């Protein structure tokens, strides 16, 4: 279906490629990445204040719905104007609550090297979440299973470009829904030793997620350390529902990270206007961020948002659009005003297959986040088809893109500048640097050298089988899975974790056994 | 070779798609695009001055070679320290000459709507240049011909996302080298009515390019208006050769735009160090920019650079790398310091086929340029395989990406902010905006709606033939070529142009006829 480049006769493709891939060095996993580029700005200070004021006016005058009795009671007790489910919030209360949030915090795990800071200065990568389908290592798209999820977690564990496992990177659709969250958490904890996303859809699932993490980490450790995050989505316009708020409270009270994401489909649940869309989503975010501090003062939290615009031809969400890129820029400006770390969607694509569209859209989203100094790059791995598919090949490609965009975000070092200028003087006009002593000293570290991007000549590329990026990444994923080793876990802990799953399955719906 | 998605039975693909494409509105061509985003910065003022000073030290202490007798004489007459071909330049002389350049200028053409400003505030798109191969509408890669070049110019003329025709978008390898420039210019002038790149490789070719443009535009008009540009590449490190300098002088003396591009292969012809690479390329650029003003004071010119890093595995150039993205950021900072518009390479890719790699690399380069506020986005259409191939499908995709990145660069309008906030109040919590009066008023203009990016559901996409982006873009290119109309040209002018080609062919090498 793609370009026409029949492999040439003396094909030596697959095996040589796989061997080369196996031989590649294992890179250390990303740690704290600190921005050293000054971000793009799309509005001036006066315009930023207009948006901020509009958000506060919306919260005061229109109000926002908290469809949850506990939250409504808490708002009432705090002195907010509550009528029915509608909460009208004064600016002072909102900003006062937000001021209680930590400006930076760490996430950690049982891998002692996996400790990193999340703050307005740092960049963090989380794997994708929520795909009901997988595009597998044969290139086939189908409903995903628990074994697919385990494989995604194995890839997450092995690839150096991710900080946080997605948890529900793809849905284990072969596990019954009431038991699904148990198996998702089990895989996060067993297949990886990384910080991970637990389940937030309702109190019971959230509490199970926390209970399972406590089996592995212990409550005392988790009271002092964030090892997991809960992703809480809003219902735009201006609604937070009980299911999500229950999850929010469970995570915040357990001292784990909460990520609060209004869900913007521009022109569908916000107006077709960029600054007004931002004002609305900012109102939604501020309300939930303030509520988090009301429910659990000092809880680590991230200003979230998921934004796409909607095609006026088909109603479908559109990834990689300039409006969303601009929204990211301004959300970054607002988050810095509030002193809160914020998230973007790093690698979203609407493509149905891992083709050029997928590459364009994903890279626009990466650069959009990095140039706006986003602190959590969510869904940074595998996301195609507006999130309806997790593409295993793309997951491998994105994990490498994470390393490249991290290098960019960390800016320019002047550590070797004077020494390098000496080389310029030494080489002079018309020379070359390949054999120079400075080149020999620095070439390994100075410039990155990706593995999934192909730099062969056309002729070499044909000899190696005319493989496009999807094929190369599938081959790499297979090598990784073949060499995967489960991170160590104390046998007694593993037993307790397995027993918890069995016990809770029985408790939740014994008739499904 | 790619993902597996066999078309479903009730296929209605090709024809319906082509009809839809035909029915799409013809958009007006891009005019002056003004930046309204504040660019990324990667170095602070003190670091920028260190780089600037290092460049001036290189020019003063190491010197730079001008391998051209005329240039050496001119430098000597201006008081520079010349020994052999080595010219040592003092800072005052360099900066004094650069100050003579216009900070902004216009390009125009015989299409009266095609007049646009090039300055530090604006964004301009030029088609790709120099590919010896084409990937054609059958997806086949082969040496390009004059008919391919004509087709590329037809696409350039019809697609709204380009300001400047590439001239030699692909090489007409079926035309003998001594005659090639004549046929390239002929096609630029006949197949398009846009500003275009002429040939600069030596005085004779440059003068032929200018003579041909003067047949169409008249000398008097061109003395007042820039209708063409000449692209002059440096030989890094620190060499400008006679061939290019002759071309430079011909264009600058004819009041046409010159683009001066040091050619950086990081770690090969510059040190493996980002700030030192910038210092060297900036020295090279400053010397040629200053020389342009020495040769033709007031000539419109653009600070150029072509930068890639080199793979330490294979020696191949690598597109879309973070080092190059950072180099762009700093070149933008330097260009603004000097008050000169500058160029980037908007859409470079090393991919051998129009796959996900091509998309990632191209989009990184687009965003790299836009977020650094690049003023000329060169090669913004078709560039794959590190420039060795012009991919017709990618040309169509890139021309659309140009429109998207232009929308981003132009930032956020507050014109409808208050009206849109009224809609937020009107809709309130839990509503939706699809039928709202403000949505109906604004949806067409508020959010872009690309044509080459697919937003169908997976099921719809399969029904339409499971086409990847390359296939969709090839189909679109065919529709454009089928509906192409040559822009009008006075019959006497056309006759004179044809006669010039015949006359010069005969003059250059009569034995080839």
């Amino acid at each position: 279906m793609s370009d026409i480049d029949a492999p040439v006769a003396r094909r030596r493709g697959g095996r040589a490629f796989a061997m080369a891939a196996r031989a590649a060095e294992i890179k250390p996993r990303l740690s704290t990445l600190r921005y050293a580029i000054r971000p793009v700005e799309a509005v001036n200070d006066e315009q930023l204040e207009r948006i901020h004021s509009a958000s506060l006016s919306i919260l005061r005058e229109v109000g926002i719905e908290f469809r949850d009795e506990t939250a409504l009671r808490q708002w009432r007790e705090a002195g907010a104007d509550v009528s029915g489910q509608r909460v009208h919030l004064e600016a002072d209360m909102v900003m006062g609550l937000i001021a209680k949030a930590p400006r930076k915090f760490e996430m950690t795990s049982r891998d002692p090297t996996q400790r990193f800071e999340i703050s307005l200065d740092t960049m963090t990568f989380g794997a994708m979440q929520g795909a009901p389908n997988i595009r597998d290592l044969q290139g086939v798209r189908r409903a995903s299973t628990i074994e697919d999820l385990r494989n995604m977690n194995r890839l997450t564990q092995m690839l150096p470009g991710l900080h946080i496992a997605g948890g529900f990177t793809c849905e284990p659709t072969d596990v019954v829904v009431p038991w699904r969250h148990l198996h998702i958490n089990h895989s996060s904890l067993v297949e990886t030793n990384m910080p991970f996303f637990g389940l937030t859809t309702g109190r019971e699932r959230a509490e199970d997620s926390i209970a399972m993490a406590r089996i592995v980490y212990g409550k005392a450790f988790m009271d002092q350390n964030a090892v997991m995050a809960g992703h809480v989505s809003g219902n735009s316009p201006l609604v937070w529902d009980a299911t999500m708020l229950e999850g929010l409270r469970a995570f915040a009270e357990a001292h784990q990270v909460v990520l609060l994401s209004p869900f913007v489909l521009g022109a569908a649940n916000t107006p077709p206007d960029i600054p007004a869309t931002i004002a609305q989503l900012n109102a939604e975010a501020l309300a939930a961020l303030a509520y988090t501090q009301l429910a659990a003062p000092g809880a680590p939290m991230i200003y979230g948002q998921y934004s796409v615009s909607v095609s006026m031809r088909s109603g479908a969400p559109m990834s990689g659009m300039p409006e969303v890129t601009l929204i990211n820029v301004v959300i970054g400006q607002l988050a810095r005003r509030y002193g809160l770390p914020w998230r973007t969607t790093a690698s979203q694509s609407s493509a149905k297959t891992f083709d050029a569209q997928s590459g364009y859209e994903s890279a626009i989203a990466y650069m959009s986040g990095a140039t706006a100094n986003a602190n959590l790059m969510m869904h940074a791995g595998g996301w195609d088809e507006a999130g309806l598919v997790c593409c295993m090949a793309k997951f491998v490609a994105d994990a490498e893109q994470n390393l490249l965009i991290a290098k960019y975000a960390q800016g320019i070092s002047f550590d070797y500048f004077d020494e390098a200028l000496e080389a310029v003087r030494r080489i002079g006009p018309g020379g070359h640097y390949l054999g120079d002593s400075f080149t020999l000293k620095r070439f390994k570290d100075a410039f990155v050298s990706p593995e999934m991007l192909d730099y062969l000549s056309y002729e070499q590329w044909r000899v190696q089988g005319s493989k496009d990026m999807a094929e190369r990444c599938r081959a790499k994923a297979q090598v990784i899975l073949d060499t995967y080793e489960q991170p160590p876990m104390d046998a007694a802990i593993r037993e307790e974790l397995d027993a918890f799953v069995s016990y809770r399955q029985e408790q939740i719906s014994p008739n499904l056994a």
Side-chain angles (χ1 to χ4, degrees), chain A:
Chain A
M1 58 191 267
S2 197
D3 293 335
I4 298 174
D5 294 280
V8 294
R10 47 188 281 269
R11 185 168 186 278
R12 321 176 289 195
R15 195 159 153 269
F17 179 80
M19 283 168 62
R22 243 174 241 125
E25 293 166 39
I26 293 183
K27 299 187 186 84
R29 205 179 280 157
L30 288 176
S31 182
T32 299
L33 299 172
R34 217 165 281 283
Y35 275 104
I37 53 173
R38 198 179 77 165
V40 171
E41 293 185 359
V43 294
N44 61 30
D45 290 347
E46 183 257 329
Q47 290 167 327
L48 194 70
E49 286 311 298
R50 271 185 81 183
I51 292 174
H52 167 68
S53 299
S55 300
L56 293 176
S57 297
I58 291 168
L59 290 178
R60 190 176 58 245
E61 293 160 25
V62 181
I64 184 161
E65 286 188 11
F66 282 79
R67 298 182 175 169
D68 174 71
E69 285 312 314
T70 307
L72 291 169
R73 179 178 50 74
Q74 289 170 313
W75 278 126
R76 231 178 276 118
E77 289 168 6
D81 170 9
V82 179
S83 51
Q85 295 183 317
R86 192 75 69 98
V87 182
H88 295 264
L89 294 167
E90 294 295 329
D92 286 354
M93 182 183 287
V94 172
M95 299 312 290
L97 285 166
I98 284 173
K100 298 183 181 187
R103 296 173 71 91
K104 60 175 160 182
F105 51 86
E106 283 194 334
M107 291 195 80
T108 187
S109 78
R110 67 187 198 270
D111 174 358
T113 68
Q114 191 65 359
R115 173 177 281 278
F116 51 84
E117 176 185 312
I118 297 181
S119 72
L120 280 167
D121 290 338
T122 68
M123 175 184 246
T124 314
F125 294 100
M128 86 160 282
Q129 298 182 339
N133 300 291
I134 194 146
R135 195 175 278 280
D136 67 18
L137 292 187
Q138 284 68 51
V140 174
R141 177 198 189 272
R142 55 177 173 73
S144 51
T145 65
I146 185 68
E147 188 54 25
D148 293 322
L149 177 60
R150 288 183 185 133
N151 280 333
M152 294 315 303
N153 276 324
R154 288 169 185 137
L155 291 175
T156 303
Q157 171 73 10
M158 296 287 279
L159 289 164
L162 292 156
H163 290 94
I164 311 178
F168 43 110
T169 299
C170 58
E171 284 285 323
T173 59
D174 54 343
V175 177
V176 292
V177 171
W179 294 357
R180 207 175 271 177
H181 68 289
L182 301 167
H183 293 267
I184 292 171
N185 288 318
H186 187 273
S187 179
S188 297
L189 288 161
V190 167
E191 263 79 51
T192 88
N193 60 3
M194 299 164 66
F196 68 102
F197 275 90
L199 279 295
T200 50
T201 43
R203 172 157 290 275
E204 204 172 46
R205 285 180 195 156
E207 286 179 349
D208 280 342
S209 301
I210 291 159
M212 292 176 77
R214 282 179 178 160
I215 291 171
V216 175
Y217 288 98
K219 181 173 181 305
F221 184 83
M222 282 175 60
D223 285 348
Q224 300 298 321
N225 294 278
V227 302
M228 66 197 299
H231 190 176
V232 177
S233 290
N235 287 351
S236 301
L238 298 167
V239 175
W240 292 91
D241 71 22
T243 308
M244 290 264 108
L245 291 169
E246 287 171 3
L248 183 162
R249 278 193 296 274
F251 273 72
E253 287 164 5
H255 309 287
Q256 303 305 297
V257 176
V258 287
L259 166 61
L260 299 149
S261 298
F263 189 92
V264 165
L265 298 164
N269 63 16
T270 70
D273 182 81
I274 297 174
T277 289
I278 297 167
Q280 181 192 308
L281 94 79
N282 188 46
E284 293 161 352
L286 287 176
L289 292 161
Y291 174 70
T292 303
Q293 297 303 317
L294 180 64
M301 63 183 191
I302 298 172
Y303 181 136
Q305 45 98 20
Y306 173 78
S307 303
V308 289
S309 49
V310 164
S311 166
M312 287 297 141
R313 289 182 191 162
S314 64
M318 304 191 292
S319 305
M321 288 301 100
E323 296 83 13
V324 173
T325 303
L326 289 164
I327 289 172
N328 272 322
V329 174
V330 181
I331 298 296
Q333 293 186 253
L334 286 167
R336 288 187 287 279
R337 187 194 186 289
Y338 303 138
L340 293 174
W342 68 284
R343 76 157 270 210
T344 189
T345 305
S347 176
Q348 54 183 328
S349 164
S350 300
K352 257 53 70 184
T353 179
F354 187 37
D355 66 351
Q357 174 177 350
S358 181
Y360 280 108
E361 292 176 335
S362 299
I364 294 285
Y366 270 112
M367 283 294 286
S368 169
T371 56
N373 284 17
N375 309 114
L376 173 58
M377 308 281 269
M378 276 291 293
H379 301 303
W383 176 286
D384 259 338
E385 229 186 89
L388 292 179
V389 77
C390 175
C391 172
M392 293 182 83
K394 183 168 191 285
F395 193 84
V396 172
D398 284 342
E400 182 167 271
Q401 290 293 316
N402 295 355
L403 301 176
L404 301 180
I405 204 82
K407 182 101 195 276
Y408 166 64
Q410 291 174 101
I412 293 176
S413 161
F414 280 75
D415 290 354
Y416 297 90
F417 184 50
D418 291 330
E419 203 176 332
L421 287 177
E422 282 309 309
V424 175
R425 289 166 202 276
R426 189 162 57 237
I427 304 296
H432 71 80
Y433 290 78
L434 288 173
D436 183 68
S437 57
F438 180 75
T439 306
L440 296 174
K441 177 177 168 183
R442 289 290 301 150
F443 78 88
K444 270 193 191 162
D445 300 313
F447 292 167
V448 297
S449 196
E451 190 186 340
M452 291 298 102
L453 300 171
D454 180 273
Y455 304 112
L456 298 174
S457 71
Y458 177 71
E459 292 71 22
Q460 291 168 321
W461 176 78
R462 286 193 63 190
V463 166
Q464 297 206 2
S466 304
K467 290 194 173 68
D468 69 10
M469 191 182 205
E471 293 175 282
R472 296 194 302 273
C473 290
R474 286 200 291 262
K476 175 71 178 178
Q478 189 61 62
V479 170
I480 295 171
L481 292 177
D482 290 346
T483 55
Y484 168 80
E485 285 177 33
Q486 210 170 76
M489 176 181 277
D490 183 276
I493 289 176
R494 172 62 190 265
E495 208 171 302
E496 195 181 338
L497 199 61
D498 295 353
F500 182 89
V501 171
S502 303
Y503 165 74
R504 286 290 293 143
Q505 284 192 170
E506 181 69 18
Q507 243 188 353
I508 291 167
S509 17
N511 52 325
L512 291 173

